[in-house]
Amino acid sequence: MTTSTQLGTSPVRQSKLTRGQRPKWLVPVIGVAAIVAGAALAALVGFSIALWALFAAVIFLVVGPLAVGLIEGSRSGTDSLMTFLVYAAFILAVIPLISVIWTVLVNGIPGLTSNMLFTSMNGVTGFHDNQADAPGSVIGGAYHAIVGTVSITFWATLMSVPVGLLTAIYLVEYSRGGWLGKAITFFVDVMTGIPSIVAGLFAAALFGMIFGPSTRTGFVAAVALTVLMIPTVVKNTEEMLRIVPNELREASYALGVRKWRTILKVVIPTAISGIASGVTLAIARVIGETAPLLVTAGFATAINWNSFSGWMTTLPTFIYYQIMTPTSPTNPDPSLQRAWAAALILIVIVMLLNLVARLIARAFAPKTAGR
Amino acid sequence: MSKRIDVENLNVYYGDFLAVQDVSMNIEPRSVTAFIGPSGCGKSTFLRTLNRMHEVIPGAYAQGKVLLDGDDLYGKGVDPVTVRSMVGMVFQRPNPFPTMSIRDNVLAGVKLNNKRISSKDADDLVESSLRGANLWNEVKDRLDKPGSGLSGGQQQRLCIARAIAVKPDVILMDEPCSALDPISTLAIEDLINEIKTDYTVVIVTHNMQQASRVSDKTAFFNIEGTGKPGRLIEYAPTTDIFNNPQKKDTEDYVSGRFG
C-alpha cells in the first residue's frame, strides 16, 4: 500500500514550492485500501461490522501517516497522524450521540400519536394494553407527564434563576475577593458535585420535616431541582458577568451613575444573551432528572396542574415506570412504545430549549450593525 | 458651569503602595491643563483621583485635599457619585455602551439615573451635546443606530458628548487620542479648544505636541525608578514648560533626551 511513493512526477513543470508534496489522491486511496484490507482481516477472525471498522481505522491510522511521512518528511507524517487521531476521536465522540438520536427516533416515532400527546394514563389498565394489536391502537399517553415536566421545571427555574443571578452578581461585582466570596465560590463548586438523588432526598426530608412525612408534590421536586440548578446558573452567570469589560462600568460610574444602577442597566444588559443561554442550558440539564423526582414527586397517572398538592409525573419518571412496571405485565409492548415516545418528546423539548437559548442569545446580543 | 480645582498635598495609594506623592496644584476654571510624563509616573492615577474614579480599583485610596471651588472631594460624607456627576471623564479607549443606540448613549447619564426627561428636552439635549462634540452632522440621520457602529474617532466624540450631556463642571480626559488616527485626533483637539470656554478641562497625554497645542498650563510628572512614587516635578504655563523649563528633568523630557 506504500507503492504510491514513486508517483508525483508529472510532465507538467512543478512549482519549486510545491515539490515533494504528496499527490492529492494519496490519502483517499489509502482510506479505501484500509477499508478493503480491514474487511479482509475481519473476515479472517470472524466478520462483524465493529471489527471491520476497528481494523480499517487501525490500518488507516498506521499506514496513512507512514506514507505521508515517507513522502514529505517526519514533520508532515506526525502532523497527519495527529490530524487523523483528532478526526478519529471526533467520530468516536459523535457515534453515541447519533446512535441515541437514531434509536429514539426509530422507536419513538411509531408511538407519537395524538393519544400519546393529548391523553393521560388515567384509567388505562393492562386490559386495554392486551387488546392493542397495532402501534396506532395503543391508548393512554404522556400528557400528564408533559404537564408535570413543564410545571415542575417552571417552578424550579422561577426559584433558581433569581438566587443564582444575584449570587453571581455578588461574587463578581461586590465580593472583591473577600472571604465571603471565596466561601460562596467554594460551596457552589461543592454543590455542582452533589449527586442528584441526594438533592432529591434533601428536598423530601425538608418537606417531610415541615409538612409531615412523605409529603410529595411537584413543588418538592422543584425544590430538589433548584438545588441542582443553582450552581449551574451561578457558574454560567459569573462567567458572563466577568467578560463584561470594566471600561463599561467605569464609563457608567464616570457619568455619576450609582453602582447598582450600573449593574442593572449596563452590566446585565451587556451580558444578558450569555446569561439567558446559560439559564436555558441549566434548564435542559435538570429537565431530564429522574432520581430526585422519584423520591419527591411520587407517581401519578392523571393530569395534575397543581404543583402544590397531589403527586405528579414527569417524562423521565414516566419512562422509568413504563419500562420497569409495564401497565400489562403479560404484554409490555404498548408500555415500551409509550416509553420510547416519551423519550422522543423529552429530547425534542430539550432541543427546542437549546434553540430558544440561541434565539434569545441572538435577540439580546449587543448590536454591532454597520456604519 | 466651570469650577476651579485646588489640590493640596495629595498622596495616592494602591493598598500599601504609594503611587503618587505629595502633589499640590491649582487648576483654573475655563482652561486646559495637560499632564505629561513617562509611563507609570502616576499621571493617570492622579487624574482619576480628581473625580474619585480610582476608588473603583480595590484597595486604592487617597490622602490629602482636592477642593472643587473650595469643597473638599475627600471630605467626610461626600458621595463619590455626586462628585462624578460634577467631574466627567473621557477614557483612553472609546467605550460607548454596546447595548444602546447613539441617542441613548448621549442620554445615558440621564437615563441610567432614571431622571424623568420629556421627549422634547431629550431631543434638545441630544442635539446640543452632539453639536458640542462636533458629531451632530455626522450622525443626525442615524441616531437610532448602535453607537458601536461608529468609527473610533466618532466613538470618542460620542463619549465626549455623553460626558457633556450630564453638564459637569470639569471634564477629565485620560489620553483621549491615543487610540485615534491623526485626523480624528485633530477633531478632538479642536473640540477641546471649543469646550474650554465652558468647562475646566484636564487632559493626560503622551503626545507632547498635543500638550503644547491644546493646553494653557502643563504639569510634568516623573518617577525616580520602579517602585518609587510618582511626583509632580514642574507645573507652569505650557510655553514655559516647553521653551523655558526650570527643572533639568523637565528639559530632558520635553527635548527628548530623557532616560
Side-chain angles (χ1 to χ4, degrees), chain A residues 344-357:
Chain A
L344 181 59
I345 295 171
L346 189 59
I347 288 186
V348 168
I349 291 179
V350 170
M351 282 188 171
L352 281 178
L353 274 175
N354 279 318
L355 198 70
V356 168

Side-chain angles (χ1 to χ4, degrees), chain A residues 71 118 181 217 288:
Chain A
I71 301 174
F118 300 114
T217 64

Side-chain angles (χ1 to χ4, degrees), chain A residues 7-227:
Chain A
L7 288 152
T9 48
S10 62
V12 187
R13 183 191 173 275
Q14 265 201 323
S15 156
K16 286 200 186 77
L17 299 174
T18 61
R19 210 164 41 187
Q21 286 185 355
R22 64 173 185 262
K24 264 189 183 158
W25 46 262
L26 179 70
V27 171
V29 163
I30 293 176
V32 172
I35 290 171
V36 174
L41 264 180
L44 281 180
V45 192
F47 188 82
S48 78
I49 292 201
L51 219 53
W52 180 17
L54 182 71
F55 281 131
V58 169
I59 292 172
F60 181 73
L61 282 177
V62 173
V63 175
L66 265 180
V68 174
L70 283 174
I71 301 174
E72 298 187 357
S74 68
R75 191 193 58 79
S76 285
T78 318
D79 175 50
S80 51
L81 174 65
M82 288 304 162
T83 312
F84 298 154
L85 276 178
V86 168
Y87 279 118
F90 170 71
I91 291 169
L92 270 183
V94 170
I95 286 173
L97 178 67
I98 291 176
S99 166
V100 163
I101 291 176
W102 177 252
T103 318
V104 172
L105 280 176
V106 166
N107 291 310
I109 285 179
L112 210 59
T113 58
S114 65
N115 263 344
M116 182 68 201
L117 286 172
F118 300 114
T119 62
S120 72
M121 290 298 286
N122 201 8
V124 178
T125 62
F127 177 71
H128 301 104
D129 272 10
N130 285 337
Q131 288 201 321
D133 44 7
S137 62
V138 172
I139 64 165
Y143 183 62
H144 61 303
I146 298 174
V147 167
T149 292
V150 169
S151 45
I152 289 176
T153 314
F154 168 78
W155 285 110
T157 310
L158 202 70
M159 286 186 285
S160 60
V161 167
V163 175
L165 203 67
L166 292 174
T167 308
I169 288 173
Y170 174 77
L171 286 178
V172 176
E173 306 287 342
Y174 288 97
S175 80
R176 288 194 165 199
W179 65 271
L180 185 58
K182 282 188 186 129
I184 291 175
T185 311
F186 174 74
F187 283 115
V188 166
D189 286 343
V190 171
M191 264 176 94
T192 320
I194 290 184
S196 56
I197 182 72
V198 176
L201 289 173
F202 159 75
L206 178 72
F207 279 80
M209 262 167 53
I210 302 171
F211 297 104
S214 67
T215 305
R216 289 187 186 168
T217 64
F219 191 72
V220 184
V223 169
L225 293 187
T226 304
V227 173

